[in-house]
Amino acid sequence: MKILVTGGAGFIGSNFVRHVLAESDHTVTVLDKLTYAGNRASLDGLPEDRFSFVRGDIADADLVDGLFSAHDAVVHFAAESHNDNSLDDPRPFLETNIIGTYTLLEAARRHDTRFHHISTDEVYGDLELDDPARFTEQTPYNPSSPYSSTKAGSDLLVRAWVRSFGVQATISNCSNNYGPYQHVEKFIPRQITNVLRGARPKLYGSGENVRDWIHADDHSSAVLRILERGRLGETYLIGADGERNNKDVVELILQGLGQPADAYDLVTDRPGHDLRYAIDSSKLRRELGWSPRFADFAAGLSDTIAWYRDNEAWWAPQKDATEARYLEQGQ
Ligand code: NAD
Ligand code: DAU
């Protein structure tokens, strides 16, 4: 297949492109606007005969139309992705996550293109810490933040375009990813790079919030499996049974970098901060035979720490501006 990957210069998109080129014979075109979150360097060194890059906006209907006519399938990662930014200025989230997705769906409808939409477990809201339940494909939508509400809106657009116009789409909702090439605004890279720079990790609130961590390469293998074998019109939850509270993750990072386990600061909590996410991915495992490769979170985190230690040239240009933004927010 010739696959168009939107947002392929971002964290998960760039990991997905590498995965596809390494594990299949497909060719890939990336369409990416290169916002503050996109980095062309995350795609350096890929084989020119199977990979090309187009800089542009998913909301540019003419550009999108031309690209859809030249590809067999589209995997749609492009989004404004950071909750804290969405609390500060929601508008770009509406423009990219809603209008951008709408623009792609209209092109998929015109060209009858196979379309896979990447979404998040945050569309389901949050769970109590002591609740044995996990999210399933049947959990009602209940998003909390401007970011997650625009992702929920984009999922509903995809479902409507499937039902009303017969678009050949699938959706996946994944839990929190970690791994190489993640922007330093996000929790794990922020704390690793703080420690590498001699600063202390910053935990929001009491640090008890739980996230369900999955390595980005496991997310990629699941998405490729759904693209190749998923049932059209279906939603699949992706997760790797990686629940940890934020304090435990920070302690592992400090330990991995030879620092005392309590060398962190508690800072102002995020408004509306979701308490806990947890994914039941049994549908994906049962129907498509998928399973994660990075079963051991501590080992995957240790590889990730090593990657940030070895790739300061990749993250250093973003670090000061990111921390200046957090300082303004008291975080
Ligand atoms: P990211 O912020 O690292 O990357 C987003 C990419 O999209 C960037 O390269 C950016 O330049 C590009 N982009 C933004 N607006 C664009 C536009 N209008 N046109 C073209 N390109 C544009 O995000 P990420 O963490 O890699 O997330 C990718 C996708 O996965 C998102 O849809 C997100 O909702 C979803 N997701 C993320 C996680 C996670 O833990 N990070 C978990 C589940 C789902
Ligand atoms: O669940 C999937 C979602 O995971 C994706 O849809 C989002 O795109 C992705 O950004 C992520 O959202 P979170 O809000 O969970 O991720 P973030 O990295 O911002 O924060 C993870 C947890 O760590 C959360 O409980 C907030 C907390 N946190 C975050 C930062 C940046 C801190 O305690 N300190 C920090 O400095």
Side-chain angles (χ1 to χ4, degrees), residues 2 30 33 51 93 139 198 220 235 270 290 301 314 328:
K2 287 178 172 174
V30 164
K33 188 177 173 181
F51 168 74
F93 290 75
T139 305
S220 295
T235 292
R270 172 185 286 171
W290 174 84
L301 184 63
W314 182 88
E328 272 172 29

Side-chain angles (χ1 to χ4, degrees), residues 11 36-37 181-186 189 308 314 318 322 325:
F11 163 45
Y36 81 95
Y181 301 102
Q182 187 169 29
H183 194 282
V184 290
E185 70 188 354
K186 301 297 197 301
Y308 281 91
W314 182 88
Q318 307 153 347
T322 303
R325 268 206 318 273

Side-chain angles (χ1 to χ4, degrees), residues 121-126 135 139-145 148-149 152 274:
D121 58 359
E122 296 193 15
V123 300
Y124 300 115
D126 60 354
F135 300 136
T139 305
Y141 275 35
N142 187 26
S144 313
S145 74
S148 53
S149 60
D274 279 342

Side-chain angles (χ1 to χ4, degrees), residues 291-312:
S291 59
R293 198 165 61 86
F294 290 84
D296 179 350
F297 174 73
L301 184 63
S302 168
D303 290 353
T304 304
I305 293 172
W307 189 88
Y308 281 91
R309 189 195 275 125
D310 296 344
N311 289 278
E312 184 164 353

Side-chain angles (χ1 to χ4, degrees), residues 81-84 120-122 147 151 174-177 182 185-188 190-191 202-204 209-211 213 246 267 270 273-274 277 326 331:
S81 69
H82 194 41
N83 275 299
D84 291 323
T120 168
D121 58 359
E122 296 193 15
Y147 161 69
K151 290 298 292 186
C174 187
S175 60
N176 284 65
N177 284 222
Q182 187 169 29
E185 70 188 354
K186 301 297 197 301
F187 177 57
I188 287 180
R190 183 183 188 205
Q191 315 314 340
K202 313 281 185 211
L203 273 175
Y204 294 173
N209 303 62
V210 170
R211 295 295 181 264
W213 294 100
N246 294 338
V267 297
R270 172 185 286 171
H273 195 175
D274 279 342
Y277 306 138
Y326 276 126
Q331 292 174 322

Side-chain angles (χ1 to χ4, degrees), residues 6-14 31-39 56-59 76-82 92 95-97 100 117-121 147 151 172-178 181-183 185-186 213-214 219:
T6 74
F11 163 45
I12 308 175
S14 62
L31 169 61
D32 198 295
K33 188 177 173 181
L34 296 181
T35 67
Y36 81 95
N39 191 340
D57 192 328
I58 57 166
H76 173 34
F77 289 93
E80 286 293 334
S81 69
H82 194 41
E95 287 167 351
T96 288
N97 301 358
H117 177 63
I118 302 292
S119 193
T120 168
D121 58 359
Y147 161 69
K151 290 298 292 186
S172 55
N173 298 78
C174 187
S175 60
N176 284 65
N177 284 222
Y178 71 99
Y181 301 102
Q182 187 169 29
H183 194 282
E185 70 188 354
K186 301 297 197 301
W213 294 100
I214 180 172
H219 188 180

